Amino acid sequence: MLNLYDFSKEEEKIIKKVYSTVMKIHGIKKRAISIDISMVSREQIHELNMQTREVDKPTDVLSYPALEKIIFPFDKANYIDILSPEDKTLYIGEIIICREIMSEQAVEYGHSECRELAFLITHGLLHLLGYDHIEDDMRKVMRAKEDEILEKAQFFRE
């Protein structure tokens, strides 16, 4: 289940398309997990980045995984004790995107804001699923997965 905050209808369609693609590629039923995704200002993301990462600057996207690790292949039975009692979903975390930086990056990279949003959502979702880009080998795996998702969701790299 997606909980979306401060997005336009068009942005919500993009997010849902990327989300569906990510879940399908990873063998996760869309209704098995729950994620919060918000759009915030440059000032808000700067403050969050400082508070949570001790980085004194704004950023494009922040991901806050709720779980240390997700076990693949995914099976809700592995998380039975932490499923939501209301809807039996597994909360895997939160993604926060800065609208201003998203817009600036779209111009900088020469593509649409739709494409930039698709990339940021993909990137954030992969972090929630346990991907990272700290080490070179991990970065290669994550970048390849981003490319695969964006291509399948029809948001090709421009």
Side-chain angles (χ1 to χ4, degrees), residues 1-8 11-12 14-20 22-23 33-40 60-64 91-99 117-118 120-126 128:
M1 175 193 312
L2 286 173
N3 302 305
L4 304 176
Y5 305 98
D6 298 318
F7 293 97
S8 70
E11 290 169 337
E12 287 182 6
I14 293 165
I15 293 167
K16 289 174 183 176
K17 187 173 186 180
V18 169
Y19 174 74
S20 293
V22 170
M23 295 303 109
I33 63 172
S34 177
I35 300 169
D36 293 328
I37 306 177
S38 303
M39 187 74 83
V40 299
D60 54 359
V61 61
L62 291 170
S63 299
Y64 298 105
Y91 181 72
I92 67 166
E94 178 178 17
I95 300 168
I96 300 172
I97 296 172
C98 176
R99 183 174 303 282
L117 176 60
L120 294 175
I121 292 296
T122 299
H123 188 83
L125 286 169
L126 289 177
L128 297 186

